[in-house]
Amino acid sequence: MKIFSLLLLLLSLSSLAHSLTSPSDLSALKSFKSAIKPSSIPPWSCLASWNFSVDPCALPRRTSFSCGLLCNPAATRITQLTLDPAGYSGTLSPLLSRLTQLTVLDLADNSFSGLIPSAISSLSNLQILILRSNSFTGAIPPSISNLKSLESLDLSHNSLAGNLPKSLVFLSALRRLDLSFNRLTGSIPKLPPNLLELALKRNSLSGYLEKSSFLESTQLEVIELSENSLAGTSPAWFFLLPSVQQINLANNSLTRVEISPAAATGSDLVAVDLGFNRIEGNVPVNFASYPALSALSLRYNRLRGTIPLEFSQMKTMKRLYLDGNFLTGKPPAEFFFGGDPVSGSLGDNCLQGCPQSSHLCAPSQKPNAVCKEAYGSGRGKGKPMT
Ligand SMILES: *[C@@H]1O[C@H](CO)[C@@H](O)[C@H](O)[C@H]1NC(C)=O
Ligand SMILES: *[C@@H]1O[C@H](CO)[C@@H](O)[C@H](O)[C@H]1NC(C)=O
C-alpha cells in the first residue's frame, strides 16, 4: 500500500515535470512579452522572470515565471495573467487572444499604449478584465460584447476616445463597469442588464439621461457620472431606479431636477451629489421623503427660495451641502439644535440669520448687492446672475 502511494506520488510528480503548456498558449505568451519594450522590464519584475527555456506551467516555479501567471491544474493552459505594476510599456499583442482559457487579465498601473486589440473578444472565458491606468488610445472595441463571461471590466484612467459601444448591453454577466477618466464622448447607451456598479466619471459624455439606457438595469446600485457634460433634467425616474443607492452627477451641465416622493415600498437611496451643475428652481423638497438618504449635495447651482423645513427633520441626513446657491429666508432652526447633528454647509447663499456659531453657516453669505441683483428689485422673478 505504502509503495503504491509512493509510486503514485512519483508518477504525478514526473507528469508535472513533463507537463507542457499548450503550444498556442506558449506562442501567445512569447508574443505578449515581445510586444513589451525590453528597456521597460526591470530585472526584479515578473516579466523579467519569464524565461522561455523553461515551461511556463512547470512546477515548482523558483526562478522562472515566478509571478504574473497561473495555469490550470493539468498545467496545460494559462488561466490568469496578472502583471505587477512595474512600468511596462509597449502594446498589447493581438495573439493574446489565443489564451482562450484565461479568466483573469489584469495589466493595471503600467504604460501599455496603442489600441485595445479587438481580438481580445476571443477570450470567451474571461471574467475579469482590468487595463486600468495605462495609456491605451482609440475606441473601445465593440467586439468586447462577445465576452459573455465578463463580470468586471475596468478600463479607467486611459485615453480611450469615441462613443461607448452600443453592444455593451450584450455583456449579460457584467456586474461592474468602470470607464472613468478617459475621453469618451456621445451619450450613454443601453446598459447591461445585470450591472451593479457603473462608473463613467470624468469623460466628455453628453446628451440627456434617457430612460431607455437604464430601464433594464434593475440591479444598479452605484451610478457615478460626475465630471461629464450631461445636460437637461435629472429626471424623477432616475432616483427611483429599483436598487439605486448612490448617484453622483456632480460637475455636469444639468439645469433641472425632477424628483417625486419615494414610493411607499421604500428606497435604498443613500447619497446624491448634484453639485456644480446649473440647476435652477427651488430646493427639491421631495428628497426629504427618501427614507435612507444620508448625504445630499446641491452645492454651487442656481437654486432659489427657502430651505424646506422637511430637510431639517430628516432623521437619516448626515451631510447636507446647499452652499453656493441663492437661497433666501431664515434657515430652519432645527438645523442648529442638539449639537449640529448634520454636517455640510448652507454658506454662500442669501440667507438671513444663519447663526455664525454653527459650522453649517460657513462660509459667510453672499454680499447683499449680489442677492439684490439676483432677485431683481421687488419682482423676485429675475434669474440669478452667475
Ligand atoms: C533561463 O533558464 C535556463 C534553464 O534553467 C538557464 O540556463 C538560463 O540561464 C536562464 N536564462 C536567464 C536569462 O535567466
Ligand atoms: C466638482 O468640481 C469642483 C470644483 O472644481 C470640485 O471641487 C469637486 O471635487 C468636483 N466634484 C466631483 C464629484 O467631481
Side-chain angles (χ1 to χ4, degrees):
M1 209 53 192
K2 228 175 181 173
I3 287 178
F4 180 66
S5 50
L6 190 67
L7 207 65
L8 260 184
L9 183 70
L10 280 174
L11 262 176
S12 62
L13 276 178
S14 70
S15 81
L16 276 180
H18 291 121
S19 69
L20 276 183
T21 304
S22 84
S24 94
D25 278 17
L26 201 52
S27 67
L29 291 181
K30 284 179 177 165
S31 164
F32 174 78
K33 185 172 176 180
S34 66
I36 293 166
K37 288 196 190 99
S39 62
S40 73
I41 303 179
W44 42 263
S45 66
C46 285
L47 271 189
S49 78
W50 289 21
N51 173 354
F52 288 98
S53 51
V54 178
D55 188 88
C57 291
L59 292 173
R61 297 199 189 97
R62 286 205 189 90
T63 53
S64 300
F65 296 97
S66 50
C67 56
L69 282 183
L70 277 185
C71 300
N72 63 349
T76 52
R77 303 297 309 269
I78 309 297
T79 56
Q80 295 196 15
L81 205 173
T82 307
L83 282 192
D84 47 338
Y88 305 120
S89 73
T91 58
L92 194 50
S93 166
L95 290 193
L96 194 70
S97 59
R98 291 180 177 173
L99 300 177
T100 53
Q101 288 300 311
L102 212 56
T103 58
V104 179
L105 176 58
D106 181 352
L107 310 178
D109 303 302
N110 281 293
S111 299
F112 284 90
S113 57
L115 303 178
I116 298 175
S118 69
I120 209 165
S121 62
S122 309
L123 301 176
S124 57
N125 287 296
L126 206 58
Q127 291 166 9
I128 298 176
L129 175 56
I130 303 176
L131 304 178
R132 181 185 61 237
S133 297
N134 279 283
S135 302
F136 287 107
T137 52
I140 299 169
S143 62
I144 207 160
S145 61
N146 294 339
L147 300 176
K148 294 294 181 234
S149 306
L150 199 62
E151 291 167 16
S152 182
L153 175 60
D154 185 349
L155 307 178
S156 64
H157 297 271
N158 279 285
S159 298
L160 300 170
N163 291 351
L164 277 80
K166 285 201 162 46
S167 58
L168 277 183
V169 66
F170 300 119
L171 288 170
S172 50
L174 200 66
R175 305 296 271 167
R176 189 173 172 274
L177 174 63
D178 192 348
L179 305 175
S180 302
F181 298 92
N182 278 290
R183 297 175 189 162
L184 300 166
T185 51
S187 54
I188 301 169
K190 197 166 183 177
L191 296 166
N194 292 307
L195 206 57
L196 290 183
E197 286 182 42
L198 171 70
L200 300 172
K201 184 184 175 78
R202 196 174 303 172
N203 279 283
S204 299
L205 299 171
S206 56
Y208 302 136
L209 293 167
E210 301 281 1
K211 201 167 185 175
S212 56
S213 313
F214 293 88
L215 196 61
E216 277 157 51
S217 308
T218 54
Q219 298 171 59
L220 256 182
E221 293 176 355
V222 179
I223 306 178
E224 163 59 277
L225 299 173
S226 64
E227 300 192 70
N228 280 288
S229 302
L230 300 170
T233 300
S234 174
W237 56 260
F238 197 67
F239 301 102
L240 290 170
L241 288 170
S243 305
V244 75
Q245 296 174 12
Q246 296 177 47
I247 292 177
N248 196 338
L249 283 163
N251 294 307
N252 277 283
S253 304
L254 301 169
T255 51
R256 261 188 85 208
V257 182
E258 239 176 52
I259 178 154
S260 35
T265 48
S267 150
D268 295 327
L269 194 59
V270 170
V272 175
D273 192 343
L274 285 160
F276 299 95
N277 277 281
R278 299 171 198 163
I279 298 166
E280 302 191 350
N282 293 324
V283 176
V285 62
N286 282 334
F287 275 120
S289 74
Y290 282 70
L293 194 62
S294 72
L296 175 64
S297 170
L298 288 161
R299 62 197 309 230
Y300 292 92
N301 278 289
R302 298 171 186 176
L303 296 171
R304 297 156 65 85
T306 55
I307 300 174
L309 184 63
E310 289 87 337
F311 273 45
S312 63
Q313 295 166 338
M314 292 173 70
K315 294 203 170 59
T316 51
M317 187 59 78
K318 294 259 174 346
R319 287 183 298 144
L320 179 64
Y321 287 89
L322 298 175
D323 49 322
N325 284 287
F326 294 87
L327 303 176
T328 54
K330 215 172 145 43
E334 282 82 348
F335 276 129
F336 313 109
F337 294 163
D340 292 354
V342 177
S343 70
S345 176
L346 309 176
D348 197 8
N349 275 298
C350 299
L351 297 171
Q352 282 119 41
C354 201
Q356 286 307 308
S357 55
S358 168
H359 65 86
L360 276 177
C361 295
S364 57
Q365 300 297 313
K366 287 185 165 63
N368 266 338
V370 174
C371 293
K372 258 198 178 127
E373 197 178 334
Y375 281 91
S377 42
R379 293 208 310 147
K381 287 210 161 170
K383 298 221 155 136
M385 319 289 260
T386 46

